[in-house]
Amino acid sequence: MGQREAIYGSYTPGRGKQEGHHFSAETCAAVDREFKPARDLVRQWCGAEAAESFAELRILRAEVIRLGGIVEQAVGMLRQAGKNRDAAKIEAQFEIPVEVFRRMTPPG
């Protein structure tokens, strides 16, 4: 229901032999008022906040990929310097295998 139906009413066509039905503007306005809080809540869930959350998720994912590249570089430098134990310790603390970052691409 919407503003138009609250002014003019609404017609629901029938099926087969069943006749259609006209809902008065008053009935449409009452239904619109009754369900408005639920519709507003659904719009809130699916609207701007969800889009902002998705944008934030993309930014965070890009940052994780960037930091993973830095960790990968640091681990490589440690290995070149003969610090294999330190490199392995950093990889273990990071909890994500450095090789995973080679396969990841930043969101575009």
Side-chain angles (χ1 to χ4, degrees):
M1 298 283 166
Q3 193 174 30
R4 179 173 166 38
E5 288 85 1
I7 296 171
Y8 299 106
S10 177
Y11 178 77
T12 302
R15 289 193 219 164
K17 294 181 181 181
Q18 185 181 16
E19 288 187 33
H21 184 78
H22 182 265
F23 295 93
S24 70
E26 294 79 19
T27 299
C28 291
V31 169
D32 190 50
R33 280 191 305 275
E34 179 182 353
F35 290 100
K36 185 177 184 330
R39 270 196 322 276
D40 290 346
L41 182 60
V42 169
R43 285 185 181 126
Q44 182 182 359
W45 289 344
C46 299
E49 289 183 19
E52 289 172 11
S53 295
F54 183 72
E56 183 180 5
L57 180 63
R58 289 174 54 103
I59 291 167
L60 291 172
R61 183 167 188 253
E63 184 65 5
V64 167
I65 292 169
R66 187 184 75 80
L67 292 172
I70 292 170
V71 169
E72 181 180 12
Q73 185 179 15
V75 166
M77 290 173 156
L78 286 170
R79 291 199 194 289
Q80 283 182 344
K83 303 285 187 173
N84 291 330
R85 178 181 276 168
D86 292 334
K89 183 177 178 182
I90 289 175
E91 282 181 310
Q93 288 175 341
F94 200 61
E95 295 184 3
I96 300 172
V98 172
E99 294 78 28
V100 169
F101 289 100
R102 292 186 188 121
R103 293 188 299 267
M104 295 177 82
T105 57

